Every structure is written in structure tokens, then in C-alpha cells.
Amino acid sequence: MKFAKEMAFYSAYHQEKRNVWIHVLGVPTITFTLFLVLNRLELVNVLGYTVTAATVFGIVVLAYYFTLDFIFAAATTVVFGSLMFLAQYITLSLTATTAWSIFAVAQLIGWGAQFYGHFIFEKSRPALFDNLFQAVVSAPIFVIADVFFELGLRKDVQEAVRKELAAQGKLKDFSTAH
């Protein structure tokens, strides 16, 4: 299962529940503000619709997600597509300085919280240091998967990820964590 193998890399760094929930909040924050500034980069106008760097980035990333898992990709499309359109709407009413200021503050908070989660709760360094693509591009679909798992959905995929982690010797036990 391709998705389980891909997510196992991410999950090796995200097994402690508090750290996972920090990422469930932090990743969308980072993604939203990335869309916010990428919407300022207009590439072309097609039939009255301005195609921005955010649009191209979003389409390319979502296409990649659909190669991994249709259900998670569809859910990610709804969540992150909504963030992209909200960012596009907000971009139209913000000055460049305001947009960049929001980007900077939210990026610091989003990344800072995630680093905190890794060093304090996970007791390990972030995946960002070992695979930038996974940390920036793949993280959104994986946090969607984490929410599914917490809701008791897609247990077969969750178990496949757990087995992959165990096979790689990267499965951690946080059952005694407070």
C-alpha cells in the first residue's frame, strides 16, 4: 500500500498524540498563510479567472495526493481547497504588507508550535530536517489521515502504517506519556 509506506515516514516523527494534534492545527495554519502569499503572484488570466501561484501549487499537490489515496485526497481537497479559496478571497482585500505580516506571524507560530511538539512531546527532531518535501508538501494529507484515524475511520490504513513503522523499527510507545 503506497499510502502506508509514504505515511510511515511522516508517522515515524509523529506518534505522540499531543504532537499529532499540534500538527493538526499547525499544518493548516502554515498552508493557509502559504496560499495567502502565493495568491499575490498572478501568473495568467484565463477567461476572466486569474491563475495564481497558489492555484498551480494547490492543483499540483492535490494531484499528487490522488496518487496516494483517493479518500484522503478527497477530504484534503475539501479542507485545503477551502483554505485556498479563503486565502484568495482575503488576499483581494489585503495590502501586500498586511498579507506578508500575517504570513510571517502565522508561519512563526505554526512552525514554532510544531518544533515545540517535536522537542518536548515527541523527543525527536522534526521530519523537516530529513525530508523537506514530506514536511511541506505531504504533511496536509497526513494530518487529514491522522484525524480520520482519531475518529476511528480507515483503521485498515492505520494498521498498515503501524505495521510499516514496526517493520522499519520506528514504532514508538507513548502509552506511559502524560
Side-chain angles (χ1 to χ4, degrees):
M1 173 179 277
K2 183 178 180 181
F3 183 84
K5 288 187 183 299
E6 292 285 327
M7 186 159 179
F9 174 84
Y10 178 85
S11 292
Y13 296 85
H14 306 94
Q15 296 180 54
E16 202 282 332
K17 294 290 184 203
R18 293 169 290 190
N19 187 41
V20 169
W21 283 108
I22 286 170
H23 283 68
V24 167
L25 297 173
V27 168
T29 300
I30 291 166
T31 303
F32 172 74
T33 59
L34 181 61
F35 286 145
L36 193 64
V37 297
L38 288 177
N39 270 312
R40 301 202 71 76
L41 302 170
E42 297 179 0
L43 303 176
V44 66
N45 193 303
V46 178
L47 301 171
Y49 179 79
T50 302
V51 177
T52 66
T55 307
V56 173
F57 177 76
I59 289 169
V60 169
V61 170
L62 289 172
Y64 165 65
Y65 291 170
F66 278 99
T67 70
L68 296 177
D69 182 274
F70 183 84
I71 294 170
F72 291 139
T76 307
T77 299
V78 171
V79 173
F80 288 88
S82 298
L83 292 176
M84 184 172 69
F85 286 113
L86 178 62
Q88 186 175 30
Y89 175 77
I90 291 172
T91 298
L92 296 174
S93 63
L94 297 177
T95 65
T97 302
T98 303
W100 281 103
S101 297
I102 291 169
F103 172 81
V105 170
Q107 290 284 312
L108 287 171
I109 291 169
W111 287 108
Q114 289 180 86
F115 275 73
Y116 178 84
H118 278 285
F119 293 122
I120 301 302
F121 299 129
E122 198 79 37
K123 307 286 189 230
S124 66
R125 66 192 215 155
L128 169 71
F129 295 133
D130 294 326
N131 189 324
L132 183 61
F133 179 83
Q134 281 268 353
V136 176
V137 174
S138 299
I141 194 171
F142 296 145
V143 297
I144 293 295
D146 282 331
V147 171
F148 269 69
F149 299 158
E150 284 299 313
L151 294 173
L153 304 170
R154 308 282 317 265
K155 289 290 189 183
D156 58 322
V157 178
Q158 184 180 23
E159 182 59 21
V161 172
R162 192 195 68 70
K163 285 181 180 176
E164 186 67 32
L165 283 171
Q168 295 175 13
K170 295 180 180 178
L171 187 62
K172 300 174 189 173
D173 180 14
F174 287 100
S175 61
T176 58
H178 293 71

